[in-house]
Amino acid sequence: VAMAATRSVMRAVRVFEFGGPEVLKLQSDVLVPVPKENQVLIKVHACGVNPVETYIRSGTYARKPALPYTPGSDVAGVIESVGEHVTAFKKGDRVFTLETLSGGYAEYAVAAANRVFPLPDKLDFRQGAAIGVPYFTAYRALFQKGCAKAGESVLVHGASGGVGLATCQIARACGLKVLGTAGTEEGMNMILRNGAHQAFNHRDPNYTERIKACTGPGGVDIIIEMLSNVNLDADLQLLSCAGRVMVVGCRGRIEINPRDTMSKESSIIGVSLFLATEEERRECATAVLDGIEAGWLKPVVGLEYPLEKVAKAHEDIICSSGARGKMVLLL
């Protein structure tokens, strides 16, 4: 009991009500969580910021955490302590996570040991915080849901963000022909450096014609779509016979003509990493760790923010134009 009384405190971002970025409150007196069995406590060095965290915070998302809560799932850091029955990790190990139990926008986070992976020395903590959700989502979209095969073509719509760059790297390493779109010259250069064979500017009014000219009459086999509320109607025109659009991101409604799917027997498939089975998560993890080992998996870190600027990060990830890599919070 005496020990509990002296439990240390940490800085963490807390959300007490759903709403805009201003509901993110940085507090300095949050109790450091204690890992239970099969859990680990991580001293957080960096935490990824994902668009989904802004939707959850606003209260408009299907999943609503109990209030108050700390957002964040992709952390990278060092094991501080381990709960009972944890043999895979020890204090001092460098790790990254796919999700946390206590929230990642904090100085310490608890995670289930089976959601934590070793972070090799060749990647820094900022890169470690850019692996989890982006790369697991990209792998799931391409292979588990999209059934991509070497030799097929993939168009990554919005390729310069965290998931987009991850998709380009994975698709290129697995033998696909990779096309990507971005909204800036810098973004286009970035996707070409990260696996895309060709890049297109989605602000160019004729960019879909340019993509058609590139793919020929056959069309593109798979489209990984980050902004389906804007692009889905046009995507259906770009697909090959039996082509499929993988809906990874969406910020609203869109009108489409279902006949466009009939003429090519194409599919529109939603992707949610949250619904992956344990076996599917293991498959993603294996592919990701193999990619790090082989050297082609190199997370691109974009904007970096201190914990104090978390509200600005949430604003920028939704409002700023032209993503360039994965946004991270640094602790």
Side-chain angles (χ1 to χ4, degrees):
V1 177
M3 211 178 86
T6 59
R7 258 182 70 193
S8 51
V9 294
M10 63 175 181
R11 293 188 312 143
V13 173
R14 303 291 282 162
V15 174
F16 294 91
E17 58 179 328
F18 296 113
E22 70 281 354
V23 302
L24 297 162
K25 306 288 186 202
L26 179 57
Q27 305 207 293
S28 53
D29 57 353
V30 180
L31 284 179
V32 173
V34 175
K36 301 189 176 76
E37 62 176 344
N38 299 316
Q39 296 177 356
V40 298
L41 178 67
I42 301 165
K43 182 172 186 0
V44 179
H45 285 255
C47 181
V49 180
N50 295 295
V52 70
E53 287 146 23
T54 71
Y55 310 148
I56 294 170
R57 181 215 71 228
S58 68
T60 58
Y61 197 63
R63 276 186 296 138
K64 281 196 185 66
L67 295 167
Y69 77 98
T70 294
S73 60
D74 290 335
V75 312
V78 175
I79 297 283
E80 179 74 16
S81 61
V82 301
E84 278 184 273
H85 311 311
V86 175
T87 53
F89 301 103
K90 62 184 185 313
K91 183 175 166 69
D93 287 351
R94 300 172 87 246
V95 293
F96 71 93
T97 64
L98 181 58
E99 62 185 76
T100 69
L101 296 163
S102 59
Y105 297 6
E107 289 176 326
Y108 293 89
V110 162
N114 65 352
R115 296 280 189 271
V116 176
F117 307 96
L119 180 66
D121 288 336
K122 61 170 105 168
L123 298 180
D124 63 30
F125 291 120
R126 293 153 49 251
Q127 290 175 300
I131 301 171
V133 169
Y135 282 87
F136 280 61
T137 300
Y139 183 86
R140 180 168 181 76
L142 279 168
F143 299 107
Q144 294 178 341
K145 295 290 158 190
C147 305
K149 296 194 175 39
E152 286 192 310
S153 57
V154 58
L155 169 64
V156 186
H157 222 154
S160 62
V163 179
L165 290 166
T167 307
C168 290
Q169 290 178 4
I170 294 174
R172 180 67 178 251
C174 295
L176 281 93
K177 180 181 181 185
V178 186
L179 314 176
T181 76
T184 63
E185 198 64 41
E186 191 184 350
M188 288 166 67
N189 289 332
M190 187 175 275
I191 62 187
L192 289 170
R193 285 198 302 273
N194 283 280
H197 292 88
Q198 279 187 277
F200 303 87
N201 189 329
H202 51 218
R203 292 175 199 220
D204 169 357
N206 299 318
Y207 85 99
T208 52
E209 296 310 314
R210 293 181 200 279
I211 292 171
K212 283 178 186 164
C214 177
T215 59
V220 67
D221 298 308
I222 304 166
I223 297 177
I224 307 292
E225 184 51 72
M226 310 302 167
L227 198 60
S228 45
N229 54 299
V230 171
N231 302 322
L232 188 57
D233 186 48
D235 288 343
L236 295 176
Q237 324 295 324
L238 293 172
L239 286 176
S240 63
C241 274
R244 48 264 184 221
V245 180
M246 314 309 301
V247 177
V248 172
C250 182
R251 295 182 187 173
R253 303 176 70 84
I254 185 173
E255 191 173 301
I256 61 165
N257 183 348
R259 183 170 286 155
D260 291 336
T261 64
M262 295 157 63
S263 57
K264 295 174 180 170
E265 291 196 323
S266 55
S267 317
I268 300 167
I269 303 167
V271 180
S272 171
L273 185 57
F274 186 66
L275 296 175
T277 64
E278 205 48 58
E279 193 182 346
E280 287 172 330
R281 285 168 191 267
R282 275 201 297 273
E283 184 194 336
C284 288
T286 302
V288 163
L289 294 169
D290 285 354
I292 296 173
E293 187 65 31
W296 57 257
L297 193 157
K298 290 199 188 76
V300 179
V301 177
L303 295 169
E304 302 171 7
Y305 299 80
L307 214 46
E308 297 76 22
K309 295 270 166 60
V310 64
K312 178 91 174 92
H314 267 224
E315 203 174 300
D316 290 351
I317 200 168
I318 296 301
C319 301
S320 73
S321 53
R324 295 179 305 280
K326 170 79 181 180
M327 184 180 284
V328 296
L329 297 173
L330 298 180
L331 286 98

